[in-house]
Amino acid sequence: MIEVAASMARGPVFLAGELMECLITFTNPMSHLSTSASSEMLAWASAQIHCQFHASESRVALPAQGNKQDVQAESDTVLIPSRGERGQCVLDTPPKILFCDLCLDPGESKTYSYSEVVPIDGPPSFRGQAVKYVYKLTIGCQRVNSPIKLLRVPFRVLVLQGMPEPPFPQDEEVSPSNPFLEEEEASHRDARPLERALDMLMVTTSRRCPHMFNITNLRGKVAKFCIFKTVYRLGEDIVGTFNFSEGDIPCLQYSVSLQSEEEIQQHYQRRPGQAISVTGHGRHLESCLHTASSHFSLPIPLNVTPGFSTDIVTLRWRLHFEFVTAREPMEPPTVLQNQSEVTVWVGAEHVDVDTFSWDLPIKVLPTNPALASYVSQFTGTNSINI
């Protein structure tokens, strides 16, 4: 028996275009003191990345696929990384040979390093209601005259889409200069794609430009709303403020929800004009009658997928507002100046109300992959015995 273990030391989350490194260890667990101990042989082992696509048949109409045989003969030495997986393999990297003819004595182990650039032209990892994109590192190994065994290590890929054009030349530094770094070290740092992408991401999501909105319905003005920016990265808090003192219509209650919209492209929809799938990721609810101002803070979870678009699906983000307003003016409680006794105000038992909603589109971008690794459902490790 040989134990095969794989470990992604940097974590299970990567940015498209980043170099992924994985250590793969082959161990003969038998003790050399055991009477039944013997050397173990492996003919070969290789590794590659692939992305598996799966769509809901009730929502997505995909073109008919030919009869693809997903059967591998015991004597076959060709690695099919998606063998036994659901859906279609939409992206894979060329396989890399780790070794040929490996012999392990009892108690011996050998470790090989696999590295590959995560393809930049693929979709991000996504588990939606109609579409799923799943990335895995597949390690295949085979004994002589035995079937191929597969070890799969799932991981998450973040893709940087929807970035605005940079307001400076590409050769200009986007991060603060450090006087304690030598010029060669600084230029080498800025030349690395991951660091430049993260610097650009930080600059884009750090810009603040307050946006003001007048919230009105058919009866008049309800409030003034202010949000400090509309481009965020995963893990940030969305903060907004309401000023009800400028409104003419009493607002009894408001709620703000962070939502994602999953829309299937028109030519792939199972039914013409089918509804967009909406998923909620957080909600703030507050009663605000006789309140002059209020605010909310909604965190963007680290484990959600930033906005993206492929030829099959588009994912967008928005803030969904709901307001409950009174149809008639409501007098606030009166408190006399120098009043020593406690005054108790009792609200009206019946109030005629109107409700309305409003959607504000926002952009959600990725974050540092190392930060997202802390809350990932994947561990970046896996093992099998062959």
Side-chain angles (χ1 to χ4, degrees), residues 49-54 85-86 88-91 123-128 131-137 152-157 377-378:
I49 296 171
H50 68 102
C51 176
Q52 212 62 21
F53 165 76
H54 180 263
E85 294 276 273
R86 297 179 60 194
Q88 306 172 16
C89 181
V90 294
L91 180 147
S125 299
F126 177 59
R127 291 182 176 271
V131 168
K132 293 181 176 65
Y133 292 104
V134 181
Y135 280 84
K136 294 181 181 180
L137 168 63
R152 293 191 172 99
V153 185
F155 62 97
R156 181 185 179 194
V157 173
Q377 61 176 326
F378 307 128

Side-chain angles (χ1 to χ4, degrees), residues 10 13-19 91 117-125 135 155-161 193-194 197 366 369:
R10 224 270 292 126
V13 183
F14 299 89
L15 201 63
E18 182 184 356
L19 182 69
L91 180 147
V117 175
V118 179
I120 200 169
D121 55 348
S125 299
Y135 280 84
F155 62 97
R156 181 185 179 194
V157 173
L158 300 173
V159 176
L160 207 52
Q161 288 188 359
L194 176 62

Side-chain angles (χ1 to χ4, degrees), residues 75 79 98 114 118 127 131 146 184 217 240 252 255 266 269 284 322 337 356-357 360 370:
S75 59
L79 173 62
L98 300 177
Y114 170 81
V118 179
R127 291 182 176 271
V131 168
S146 298
E184 292 184 3
N217 62 6
L252 307 180
S255 67
Q266 185 174 0
Q269 293 181 1
H284 176 91
E322 294 182 356
Q337 210 173 10
F356 67 98
S357 61
L360 176 64

Side-chain angles (χ1 to χ4, degrees), residues 196-217:
R196 284 198 64 85
L198 292 178
D199 287 341
M200 184 75 71
L201 178 65
M202 186 64 67
V203 170
T204 302
T205 56
S206 296
R207 294 194 188 99
R208 291 202 169 194
C209 180
H211 295 71
M212 309 294 294
F213 301 90
N214 288 321
I215 309 298
T216 62
N217 62 6

Side-chain angles (χ1 to χ4, degrees), residues 82-362:
S82 58
R83 175 165 57 95
E85 294 276 273
R86 297 179 60 194
Q88 306 172 16
C89 181
V90 294
L91 180 147
D92 57 356
T93 60
K96 290 186 177 181
I97 302 296
L98 300 177
F99 62 79
C100 291
D101 297 329
L102 174 65
C103 179
L104 293 175
D105 294 329
E108 184 183 8
S109 67
K110 287 190 177 180
T111 300
Y112 298 84
S113 177
Y114 170 81
S115 61
E116 181 66 85
V117 175
V118 179
I120 200 169
D121 55 348
S125 299
F126 177 59
R127 291 182 176 271
Q129 299 184 32
V131 168
K132 293 181 176 65
Y133 292 104
V134 181
Y135 280 84
K136 294 181 181 180
L137 168 63
T138 297
I139 300 145
C141 46
Q142 184 179 33
R143 294 177 182 266
V144 178
N145 297 325
S146 298
I148 295 176
K149 298 295 184 180
L150 300 179
L151 170 62
R152 293 191 172 99
V153 185
F155 62 97
R156 181 185 179 194
V157 173
L158 300 173
V159 176
L160 207 52
Q161 288 188 359
M163 288 279 287
E165 291 297 323
F168 36 74
Q170 289 298 311
D171 57 352
E172 183 179 335
E173 289 191 14
V174 296
S175 60
S177 59
N178 189 339
F180 301 102
L181 289 177
E182 295 185 4
E183 291 185 7
E184 292 184 3
E185 185 180 351
S187 61
H188 177 69
R189 178 204 61 192
D190 289 339
R192 290 180 290 184
L194 176 62
E195 274 71 11
R196 284 198 64 85
L198 292 178
D199 287 341
M200 184 75 71
L201 178 65
M202 186 64 67
V203 170
T204 302
T205 56
S206 296
R207 294 194 188 99
R208 291 202 169 194
C209 180
H211 295 71
M212 309 294 294
F213 301 90
N214 288 321
I215 309 298
T216 62
N217 62 6
L218 296 177
R219 300 180 184 275
K221 185 176 179 179
V222 177
K224 177 177 284 188
F225 173 66
C226 175
I227 192 169
F228 301 103
K229 60 179 184 176
T230 57
V231 181
Y232 301 87
R233 61 183 180 274
L234 298 181
E236 277 196 285
D237 290 339
I238 303 174
V239 178
T241 63
F242 291 96
N243 185 349
F244 295 104
S245 62
E246 299 185 16
D248 305 319
I249 308 300
C251 185
L252 307 180
Q253 180 178 279
Y254 75 89
S255 67
V256 187
S257 302
L258 176 62
Q259 298 178 342
S260 60
E261 300 176 304
E262 179 186 353
E263 182 179 12
I264 304 301
Q265 307 292 7
Q266 185 174 0
H267 48 286
Y268 285 107
Q269 293 181 1
R270 177 63 66 181
R271 298 175 301 278
Q274 70 183 35
I276 297 174
S277 300
V278 178
T279 303
H281 303 276
R283 185 169 183 251
H284 176 91
L285 176 66
E286 187 169 327
S287 298
C288 54
L289 180 60
H290 305 315
T291 300
S293 61
S294 180
H295 75 280
F296 69 89
S297 178
L298 282 175
I300 303 175
L302 282 167
N303 59 352
V304 299
T305 302
F308 74 97
S309 182
T310 67
D311 57 347
I312 296 178
V313 65
T314 296
L315 183 73
R316 292 184 295 265
W317 287 85
R318 72 184 188 186
L319 291 176
H320 179 72
F321 298 81
E322 294 182 356
F323 298 91
V324 179
T325 58
R327 293 183 179 179
E328 301 293 337
M330 302 187 67
E331 294 297 328
T334 56
V335 179
L336 301 177
Q337 210 173 10
N338 303 327
Q339 183 174 345
S340 59
E341 297 181 0
V342 176
T343 300
V344 178
W345 178 78
V346 179
E349 293 185 2
H350 302 285
V351 179
D352 293 330
V353 300
D354 294 317
T355 60
F356 67 98
S357 61
W358 171 53
D359 293 324
L360 176 64
I362 61 172

Side-chain angles (χ1 to χ4, degrees), residues 35-48:
T35 57
S36 60
S38 61
S39 298
E40 297 283 354
M41 294 284 298
L42 277 180
W44 61 269
S46 68
Q48 68 184 115

